[in-house]
Amino acid sequence: MLLAFDWSQLAQQTVIGLSSGALWALLALAIVLIYRSTGVVNFAQGEMAMLSTFVAWSLVHHGFSFWEAFFATVALSFCGGVGIERAVIRPVERAPVLTIVIVTLGLVFVVDGIARWGWTAETKSLPNAFSTRPIQIAGVAFSIQDLGNIAVSIGLVLLIGVLFRYTKLGLALRAAAINPQESRLLGVRVSWMIAIGWGLAAALGAVAGMLTAPALASFDQNLMQPVLLYALAGAVLGGLESPVGAVVGSLLLGVFVNLVGTYVDWVGNDLRLPVALAVILGVLLIKPAGLFGRTAVRRV
Amino acid sequence: MTEALLELEDVEARYGQVKALHGVTLEVAEGEIVAVLGANGAGKTTTLRAISGLVSREGGIRFAGKSIARRSPEATTRLGIAHVPEGRGTLSGLSVRENLRLGAYVRRDRAGVREDEGRVLGYFPWLEDRADQRAGTLSGGEQQMLALARALMLRPRLLLLDEPSLGLAPKVVAEIFRIVAELNEREGLTVLVVEQNANLALEASSRAYVLEVGRVALSGSSPELRRDESVRRSYLGY
């Protein structure tokens, strides 16, 4: 060893990794929410988040501040998610899983089409949500934007956790996802609970999109495609059944991918996505239920 | 008999192409325990599912004077019909407490719910110690009692019980029927119970219907049916 190891670089790269992982975690959580209630991975989750981000962009360009546009977009996305479930998922609610998967694949192209039809192909940019100045913590410089992304994501995840754990609506949402028929007998309107789940997922995705975009110099309709793949990898790593797993898995993946990209020369910036795909493959081969997934045990 | 709480008139039900009920007519008066007997596949479970709306059906179903023939399970629950389904309907991934809470999901009277919680725990005191346990880890008998307790949290006007004895030890079954009888006596709870174990069912009920291939083949007071030659031979086994 000729050079002393640079610990501050490690800390910086870890936080950068956590920052992107936190945004993937939001999309991963959205995927898990829908997976638990509808039984499929919603492949359109990324495109829905992209469309939300475009809506936010339009609001900003009509004079709203970033945060005004942010909250308005979250609300609109929630309604949009509920609407999508009612319009295209409800009719196939009782169809085989493969049918629903194909519907979500169709949704990818429909949502993408809407974004290309309603907005021009020129690249766009969003103002930064947070100050771009660095901040010194224990002598190491971190970006406020990264720390802000982490804070917003963790805060949102905790909020969703409280909703599911401590409210009557959350209890009904969980019951409807685990035992739909039994829940109906208790008076839970299961079909609407699924729609609300789609609304929450769309809102989570919207936040992920709106925080992903400002960090880029510019973005277009392909904004969320890599994010969706990372989020899928994070969700698979944590366990598709587990909301906690999806969040932890995405954070771990964020750090891992960034550190590999930083310290392994030949990976660099270009091979990060394949690293995430390798993680998916590895998890599926070694521990298909993921880190937090429970293998289903049923008492009969 | 005075005005019936529940009336079924010529009810038919089908699963896809297969007809499971070919015209069932029965009634349950307020405060009664009525049993539905029959062999496997006679349509006992389907009869309950038709009442609560879990299966598509035709014919007349009236509850408390209102037609419920087109109501969904979510709606019949809101009218005060608690259905403990075959297999107990345990929400296995949720805790005992959460299961009980969901029993009162459609109720808006918080004070009444709290009061009922105390009342229900009076019948099943052990539930309190197990409140945070996952319902799926309870034994079969415990799950059946939890299902009953959860149904009571609705403060139901009518309790539909599907095969409460299924797969349980005789001692546990006796305990469950004892509690149902007590609820009926003390609180006037109206019960429609489906049972394979005809002996038990006829002992617990005041009237009973015998189903055969989706039709009522026989009905009468329970003591009468116990003396009936054909019932004895086909369902009581002596």
Side-chain angles (χ1 to χ4, degrees), chain A residues 234-258:
Chain A
V236 168
L237 175 61
L240 268 175
E241 290 274 0
S242 161
V244 177
V247 172
V248 175
S250 300
L251 290 174
L252 286 177
L253 187 73
V255 173
F256 178 70
V257 169
N258 197 48

Side-chain angles (χ1 to χ4, degrees), chain B residues 107-118 153 155:
Chain B
R107 291 176 60 178
R108 294 284 173 265
D109 54 323
R110 286 181 176 217
V113 170
R114 250 197 309 279
E115 188 188 308
D116 283 346
E117 212 168 74
M153 289 301 296
R155 198 180 280 186

Side-chain angles (χ1 to χ4, degrees), chain A residues 64-263:
Chain A
F64 291 95
S65 75
F66 178 86
W67 289 107
E68 285 165 358
F70 180 92
F71 287 110
T73 302
V74 168
L76 286 172
S77 301
F78 177 85
C79 298
V82 170
I84 287 177
E85 198 281 338
R86 293 284 90 177
V88 303
I89 301 299
R90 173 119 204 261
V92 293
E93 211 172 56
R94 283 176 203 148
V97 165
L98 188 59
T99 308
I100 308 179
V101 170
I102 289 169
V103 169
T104 78
L105 284 174
L107 205 50
V108 172
F109 296 102
V110 171
V111 176
D112 188 67
I114 290 172
R116 286 177 201 281
W117 166 75
W119 283 268
T120 58
E122 306 162 64
T123 58
K124 302 174 168 47
S125 63
L126 269 182
N128 280 303
F130 304 97
S131 158
T132 44
R133 276 182 309 120
I135 183 176
Q136 298 283 332
I137 298 174
V140 185
F142 296 103
S143 117
I144 290 184
Q145 185 163 2
D146 285 339
L147 297 178
N149 284 351
I150 296 171
V152 170
S153 305
I154 303 279
L156 190 53
V157 166
L158 290 179
L159 202 65
I160 294 277
V162 167
L163 169 71
F164 273 80
R165 191 101 217 126
Y166 298 109
T167 68
K168 193 170 167 178
L169 174 64
L171 180 57
L173 284 166
R174 281 187 289 148
I178 314 174
N179 301 80
Q181 183 161 314
E182 289 78 359
S183 301
R184 294 187 72 195
L185 281 181
L186 299 176
V188 177
R189 295 188 170 103
V190 171
S191 180
W192 274 104
M193 293 301 140
I194 294 173
I196 290 174
W198 275 72
L200 289 174
L204 280 167
V207 175
M210 288 185 287
L211 293 183
T212 300
L216 306 168
S218 67
F219 64 90
D220 58 14
Q221 280 86 347
N222 301 321
L223 170 71
M224 295 305 277
Q225 283 167 11
V227 180
L228 177 70
L229 285 175
Y230 285 123
L232 271 175
V236 168
L237 175 61
L240 268 175
E241 290 274 0
S242 161
V244 177
V247 172
V248 175
S250 300
L251 290 174
L252 286 177
L253 187 73
V255 173
F256 178 70
V257 169
N258 197 48
L259 292 187
V260 169
T262 305
Y263 291 104

Side-chain angles (χ1 to χ4, degrees), chain B residues 175-189:
Chain B
E175 170 74 0
I176 287 167
F177 273 91
R178 186 188 65 72
I179 293 173
V180 171
E182 203 177 316
L183 284 163
N184 173 258
E185 248 164 62
R186 269 213 231 155
E187 305 179 13
L189 180 67

Side-chain angles (χ1 to χ4, degrees), chain B residues 10-12 19-25 36-38 41-44 47 209-218 235:
Chain B
D10 210 16
V11 172
E12 299 185 357
K19 219 174 191 182
L21 297 184
H22 299 267
V24 169
T25 300
V36 177
L37 315 178
K44 304 188 299 291
T47 302
Y209 294 84
V210 179
L211 291 191
E212 265 166 30
V213 275
R215 276 195 191 84
V216 175
L218 206 62
Y235 301 104

